């Protein structure tokens, strides 16, 4: 992903060509990949690794490209003026400046790879994913929660390693010395563990929380499903969202002639990036109609639009807050890791308990799953604003509010839009998976294709998902 991202960051043509592949790879539900890769690679680890690589490579490419393209022009010009070759400019200027964005891309790859662990259990990989899947099949929240929590803890450990942050006190130390000290420490711990017979984790320090989690879920279900008479509960919220938001929006999209939706897509693409994008958006919408899944695609689109609006409305303020406060960023990071690394299927169990089965739990799960990229990238964009720009605004008497609105947000627009783009694609991916709890639409077509051996039906639904993802992706520059 990183070499492809560097290539895309240095070449506009490469970025345009890769965009279509990245859209398809990121928005297609991971379990859709399993059918062809199992045919090619058999059962076990290899098909899981291939499906995971395809699903998780997109953030690395996108964020590496974004980091390369975000290098200030002045930095490139200074390097060129000192006689740097293209390779030297890349290695000595662009990659060091883009380091934070590249590490964030690696972080996102890890989060998404952990998210595929449960799905990979369908092809016999075993491990924690198999335990989570067993809990979901029995609708046992406690049994699914414990291995899911273990996945989160593993992901949090890897997240801290890949953030690239280093204590100021250790910056002067040589990397080789740190590596040697770390290796010696690991060797010493291993020898001591062997000597004292501590190869296995002590049973005295283990705890069983599965029963407690199940009891807590049952209590929440009893007390929050119906709620109190005045405020209402999750059931009332679910009914409101269906009656007043989701159903009216779906009815509007279905009642409009197909050609009118195509014209709107062409106009939106043209306004966003010119006639070529308008033609592409129109062709994608015509392709959806030709696959005979137009009504299902409009149903999916209505759910995606509602989830995206809710996600952006929540993520942008939180991301701005985190971008301006180190303490808030540190407090949010564990929650963002947990939300992003939990496998998609795991979200479906608690939301199905709290909300009526149907489209609403899918929308809620999509919002939880999709807000971390937008929060992270908004925070990253604000933190990457050059300090001289901020100091210039402050020297002219700008208040913190004016500095945010007039300097930081305009300078961070590119990162914020990339976060919204990632949110849209992740929402679409989650809405498809939510067909397992009654969301229906295109997701149900792909499930039928896999479970009922109607491959043609599944392929048609999958192609429609990809075409819809291309349109939504291109309309967010």
């Amino acid at each position: 992903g990183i070499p492809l991202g560097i290539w895309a960051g240095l070449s506009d043509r490469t970025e345009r060509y890769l965009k279509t592949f990245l859209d398809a790879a990121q928005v297609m539900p991971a379990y859709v990949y399993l059918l062809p890769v199992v045919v090619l690679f058999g059962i076990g680890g290899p098909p899981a690794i291939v499906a995971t690589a395809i699903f998780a490579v997109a953030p690395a490419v996108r964020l590496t490209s974004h980091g390369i393209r975000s290098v200030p022009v002045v930095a490139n010009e200074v390097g060129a003026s000192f006689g740097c070759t293209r390779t030297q400019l890349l290695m000595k200027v662009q990659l060091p400046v883009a380091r934070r964005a590249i590490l964030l891309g690696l972080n996102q790859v890890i989060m998404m790879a952990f998210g595929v662990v449960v799905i990979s259990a369908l092809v016999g990989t075993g491990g924690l994913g198999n335990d989570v899947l067993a809990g979901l099949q029995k609708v046992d929240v406690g049994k699914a929660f414990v291995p899911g929590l273990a996945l989160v803890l593993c992901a949090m450990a890897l997240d801290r390693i890949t953030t690239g942050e280093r204590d100021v006190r250790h910056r002067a130390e040589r990397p080789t010395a740190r590596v040697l000290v770390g290796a010696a420490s690991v060797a010493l711990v291993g020898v001591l563990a062997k000597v004292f017979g501590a190869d296995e984790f002590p049973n005295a320090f283990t705890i069983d929380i599965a029963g407690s989690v199940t009891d807590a879920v049952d209590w929440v279900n009893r007390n929050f499903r119906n709620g109190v008479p005045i405020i209402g509960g999750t059931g009332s919220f679910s009914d409101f969202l269906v009656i007043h938001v989701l159903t009216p929006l779906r009815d509007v999209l279905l009642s409009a002639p197909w050609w009118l939706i195509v014209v709107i897509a062409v106009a939106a693409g043209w306004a966003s990036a010119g006639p070529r994008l308008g033609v592409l958006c129109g062709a994608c919408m015509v392709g959806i109609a030709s696959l005979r899944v137009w009504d299902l695609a409009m149903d999916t689109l209505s759910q995606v639009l509602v989830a995206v609006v809710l996600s952006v409305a929540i993520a942008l303020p939180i991301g701005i807050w985190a971008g301006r406060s180190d303490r808030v960023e540190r407090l949010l990071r564990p929650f963002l890791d947990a939300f992003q690394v939990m496998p998609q299927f795991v979200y479906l169990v608690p939301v199905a308990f709290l909300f009526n089965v149907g489209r609403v739990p899918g929308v809620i799960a999509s919002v939880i799953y999709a807000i971390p990229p937008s929060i992270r990238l908004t925070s990253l964009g604000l933190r990457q604003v050059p300090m001289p720009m901020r100091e210039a605004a402050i020297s002219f008497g700008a208040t913190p509010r004016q500095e945010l609105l007039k300097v930081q947000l305009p300078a961070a627009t590119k990162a914020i839009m990339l976060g919204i783009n990632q949110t849209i694609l992740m929402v679409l991916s989650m809405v498809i998976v939510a067909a397992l709890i009654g969301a229906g639409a295109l997701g149900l077509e792909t499930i039928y294709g896999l479970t009922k051996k109607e491959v043609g039906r599944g392929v048609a639904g999958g192609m429609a998902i990809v075409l819809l993802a291309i349109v939504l992706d291109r309309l967010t520059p």
Side-chain angles (χ1 to χ4, degrees), residues 31-47:
Y31 60 84
V32 175
Y33 297 124
L34 295 179
L35 183 60
V37 296
V38 166
V39 172
L40 293 174
F41 298 98
I43 298 295

Side-chain angles (χ1 to χ4, degrees), residues 348-387:
L348 303 181
V349 176
V351 296
F353 268 100
L354 289 174
F355 299 91
N356 298 325
V357 175
R359 290 173 290 168
V360 172
V363 170
I364 301 300
S366 300
V367 171
I368 299 172
Y369 180 68
I371 59 174
S374 188
I375 294 175
R376 290 181 188 273
L377 283 166
T378 300
S379 175
L380 176 67
L382 292 179
R383 291 176 179 275
Q384 284 186 330
V385 176
M387 187 55 68

Side-chain angles (χ1 to χ4, degrees), residues 264-339:
I264 293 174
V266 171
W270 195 309
S272 178
R276 294 182 62 181
L277 180 58
V279 172
L280 175 63
C281 292
C284 289
M285 298 306 292
V286 170
I288 293 173
S290 66
L291 292 170
R292 298 184 179 182
V293 290
W294 181 262
D295 291 351
L296 297 175
M298 294 301 102
D299 190 0
T300 297
L301 180 60
S302 67
Q303 298 177 48
V304 169
L305 292 177
V306 172
V308 167
V309 170
L310 291 175
S311 299
V312 173
I314 295 171
L316 282 184
I318 296 176
I320 293 172
W321 192 16
R324 293 171 65 87
S325 171
D326 293 336
R327 179 178 297 179
V328 172
E329 187 184 38
R330 287 195 301 269
L331 291 174
L332 283 177
R333 187 185 294 171
F335 296 99
L336 297 178
D337 294 343
F339 288 155

Side-chain angles (χ1 to χ4, degrees), residues 30-384:
Y31 60 84
V32 175
Y33 297 124
L34 295 179
L35 183 60
V37 296
V38 166
V39 172
L40 293 174
F41 298 98
I43 298 295
I49 291 174
V50 172
T52 302
I54 298 173
F55 185 72
V57 72
V61 179
R62 291 182 189 274
L63 284 166
T64 301
S65 174
H66 167 70
I68 296 293
R69 291 177 177 273
S70 298
V71 175
V73 176
V74 174
N76 288 323
E77 291 177 346
V78 169
S81 67
F82 278 95
C84 288
T85 64
R86 295 184 62 181
T87 302
Q88 290 173 327
L89 187 65
L90 174 65
M91 301 300 295
K92 301 295 185 180
V93 178
Q94 293 172 320
L95 287 180
V97 174
R99 174 177 176 271
R100 196 162 188 172
I102 295 172
L103 287 175
L104 181 58
L106 177 59
N107 173 274
Q108 297 296 294
V109 168
I110 292 173
M111 300 296 111
M112 297 186 74
F114 269 103
V116 188
V117 167
V118 177
I119 303 168
S120 300
L122 294 171
V123 294
T125 55
L128 290 173
N130 194 55
D131 295 338
V132 174
L133 187 62
L136 294 176
Q137 289 172 340
K138 297 179 180 179
V139 198
D140 188 339
V141 181
K143 189 174 182 179
F145 177 83
V146 174
L149 179 61
L151 287 173
V152 172
L153 295 176
C154 291
M156 288 174 63
L158 287 175
D159 169 69
R160 295 305 183 274
I161 294 171
T162 56
T163 51
E165 296 178 358
R166 190 184 307 165
D167 196 299
V168 176
R169 295 171 297 178
H170 302 298
R171 286 184 179 176
E173 296 180 9
R174 293 183 177 181
T176 305
R178 291 198 302 271
V179 171
L180 292 176
V181 171
S185 301
V186 171
L188 178 61
V189 171
V191 170
L192 292 176
K194 198 70 176 177
V195 170
F196 291 100
D199 290 346
E200 300 291 336
F201 191 80
N203 290 329
F205 294 101
T206 61
I207 56 175
D208 184 8
I209 63 173
S212 301
V213 171
T214 301
D215 294 339
V217 170
D218 292 340
W219 181 86
V220 170
N221 187 36
R222 289 194 306 269
N223 290 276
F224 287 88
R225 185 67 174 269
N226 297 321
V228 296
I230 297 177
I231 301 177
T234 57
S236 302
F237 176 77
S238 178
D239 295 338
F240 173 84
L241 201 60
V242 170
I243 295 172
H244 298 287
V245 181
L246 286 170
T247 300
L249 181 58
R250 182 184 63 182
D251 292 343
V252 168
L253 293 174
L254 290 177
S255 61
W258 68 270
W259 53 264
L260 179 59
I261 302 296
V262 172
V263 169
I264 293 174
V266 171
W270 195 309
S272 178
R276 294 182 62 181
L277 180 58
V279 172
L280 175 63
C281 292
C284 289
M285 298 306 292
V286 170
I288 293 173
S290 66
L291 292 170
R292 298 184 179 182
V293 290
W294 181 262
D295 291 351
L296 297 175
M298 294 301 102
D299 190 0
T300 297
L301 180 60
S302 67
Q303 298 177 48
V304 169
L305 292 177
V306 172
V308 167
V309 170
L310 291 175
S311 299
V312 173
I314 295 171
L316 282 184
I318 296 176
I320 293 172
W321 192 16
R324 293 171 65 87
S325 171
D326 293 336
R327 179 178 297 179
V328 172
E329 187 184 38
R330 287 195 301 269
L331 291 174
L332 283 177
R333 187 185 294 171
F335 296 99
L336 297 178
D337 294 343
F339 288 155
Q340 196 165 0
V341 76
M342 285 291 283
Q344 293 174 319
F345 288 89
V346 176
Y347 290 109
L348 303 181
V349 176
V351 296
F353 268 100
L354 289 174
F355 299 91
N356 298 325
V357 175
R359 290 173 290 168
V360 172
V363 170
I364 301 300
S366 300
V367 171
I368 299 172
Y369 180 68
I371 59 174
S374 188
I375 294 175
R376 290 181 188 273
L377 283 166
T378 300
S379 175
L380 176 67
L382 292 179
R383 291 176 179 275
Q384 284 186 330

